[in-house]
Amino acid sequence: MHRLLQRQINKFLPDNLKSAAEMQDFFDAISKAYIDYDSDHDQIERTLEISSNELFKSNQQLNESNASLEAKVELRTAEYEKLNSELLHEIEVRKIREQELHETDVILTVSNDASTQLLIVSDYKQAIDAALSLFAPVIQSDKVCLFEKDEIRGKSNFYNERFSWTQESGSELDNPSQKRINLLKEGFENWLTELSAGRVVVISETDTNEVNKAYLTKKGAKSVIFSPVFLGDKLWGFVCFENHQIPKKLRGTEIGILKNFASSLGGLVQNKNQEAYLVRNRQELIEAQS
């Protein structure tokens, strides 16, 4: 007999009914009902436990799948963001490169046009003015000077200013009051070494060299570019490009263009020297024959 039924019988029924034969079938039926209920209840609990475990396991698998998916999404997103960033950087670099190529092309074109002026314009001053009026603005230079080695005094460190040019006044040529510069004075020997080696010297307001900074302060310039001019394999002189506003930063190719143009300017002065030499020789020859 089921224990709960036995407890109820003992509690509530008199002894004569507990042992009555006619009550036994009734007790057995109730006991069976209790036992069946317990069995069904245990079965339900086992089913619920199994279902709960399966649900927990399914949720755990689902969470793991979601976490894995989120990680993959984050990884792919990071990859796409990196790729997009690299693409944007490449586009920006390409734009900058295209702009640099355009600027270089402009400088090259203007340099060719300016050099042509030095060849086709017969008047010495007009040729210099025409050439520099074209070339100086594209390198943002507002003053240009040409210095020639002082061969007469035989001092290779002294250079005479043969002409100066400004945007406002044009050129001043062979002025006796114009400057001589001593490249071995106050540390300028570094410039002479670089120029003699065929290298362009660039100094700017960000320069940490005290000599260069003092020179810029004296000139009131933001930057100065010295470009060598050779006669054969020897340094004949140099062209000085000054900027008193915003200096233009020249790249390697553009510096090469500037060197070629400076050589053209120097060539014009050298031709002028040769003409003057021939005139003097002719005059001396005439005077000797008279």
Side-chain angles (χ1 to χ4, degrees):
M1 183 179 295
H2 194 276
R3 57 185 178 77
L4 290 179
L5 176 59
Q6 186 67 53
R7 187 184 303 166
Q8 296 300 321
I9 290 173
N10 292 336
K11 185 176 181 179
F12 294 104
L13 292 180
D15 292 338
N16 59 330
L17 288 178
K18 294 178 184 178
S19 58
E22 62 271 17
M23 296 295 293
Q24 294 306 312
D25 291 338
F26 176 70
F27 290 155
D28 290 342
I30 294 176
S31 178
K32 184 177 183 304
Y34 269 111
I35 292 171
D36 290 344
Y37 173 80
D38 286 347
S39 177
D40 291 343
H41 184 268
D42 290 342
Q43 183 65 35
I44 291 172
E45 284 187 345
R46 285 194 298 272
T47 302
L48 288 175
E49 183 179 358
I50 293 171
S51 298
S52 177
N53 290 337
E54 290 178 349
L55 181 60
F56 177 78
K57 183 178 180 181
S58 297
N59 286 338
Q60 188 177 25
Q61 291 175 346
L62 180 61
N63 289 336
E64 290 174 355
S65 297
N66 287 339
S68 177
L69 181 60
E70 288 178 358
K72 289 179 180 179
V73 170
E74 289 179 359
L75 179 61
R76 287 297 177 87
T77 301
E79 290 175 351
Y80 289 140
E81 288 178 349
K82 181 181 178 182
L83 182 62
N84 185 58
S85 176
E86 291 174 351
L87 181 60
L88 292 175
H89 176 70
E90 180 65 26
I91 292 173
E92 187 64 26
V93 168
R94 184 168 297 181
K95 286 182 179 178
I96 294 173
R97 181 56 179 161
E98 288 175 352
Q99 180 63 27
E100 290 176 350
L101 289 173
H102 172 71
E103 292 176 359
T104 300
D105 183 63
V106 169
I107 292 177
L108 178 60
T109 301
V110 172
S111 173
N112 290 335
D113 293 342
S115 296
T116 301
Q117 295 298 311
L118 296 175
L119 294 174
I120 66 175
V121 178
S122 57
D123 183 85
Y124 180 47
K125 183 180 187 313
Q126 289 180 4
I128 292 174
D129 288 344
L132 289 176
S133 294
L134 288 172
F135 186 75
V138 298
I139 61 168
Q140 298 176 348
S141 176
D142 43 31
K143 183 175 181 180
V144 181
C145 304
L146 183 143
F147 288 84
E148 178 187 3
K149 184 182 293 185
D150 190 344
E151 296 288 0
I152 295 177
R153 293 176 175 81
K155 297 178 180 179
S156 60
N157 54 303
F158 281 92
Y159 288 77
N160 295 325
E161 184 182 81
R162 289 295 303 272
F163 74 76
S164 65
W165 173 94
T166 62
Q167 291 178 338
E168 297 80 11
S169 307
S171 59
E172 295 183 14
L173 310 176
D174 296 315
N175 188 338
S177 65
Q178 288 178 328
K179 297 180 287 295
R180 294 171 67 228
I181 185 171
N182 181 354
L183 290 185
L184 294 183
K185 182 181 179 182
E186 299 176 0
F188 292 171
E189 65 271 11
N190 292 332
W191 302 356
L192 182 59
T193 299
E194 292 296 301
L195 293 170
S196 298
R199 291 187 286 268
V200 169
V201 176
V202 181
I203 59 176
S204 68
E205 56 187 352
T206 59
D207 205 313
T208 57
N209 183 286
E210 293 300 326
V211 173
N212 294 348
K213 288 168 65 176
Y215 182 81
L216 287 178
T217 300
K218 179 180 178 181
K219 303 290 287 186
K222 299 289 186 181
S223 68
V224 181
I225 303 172
F226 298 94
S227 184
V229 177
F230 283 82
L231 184 59
D233 59 353
K234 297 193 178 194
L235 183 66
W236 173 87
F238 57 89
V239 182
C240 174
F241 298 89
E242 297 181 16
N243 181 283
H244 297 79
Q245 303 299 322
I246 302 175
K248 176 177 174 58
K249 294 182 179 180
L250 296 176
R251 292 171 285 276
T253 304
E254 295 171 346
I255 287 179
I257 296 171
L258 180 140
K259 283 179 65 176
N260 290 335
F261 176 74
S263 294
S264 297
L265 274 177
L268 178 67
V269 177
Q270 290 170 17
N271 289 339
K272 183 70 174 176
N273 290 349
Q274 186 65 24
E275 290 176 5
Y277 174 78
L278 291 174
V279 169
R280 286 197 304 271
N281 278 1
R282 188 179 300 115
Q283 184 62 34
E284 290 174 356
L285 182 59
I286 293 173
E287 290 175 356
Q289 292 176 346
S290 61

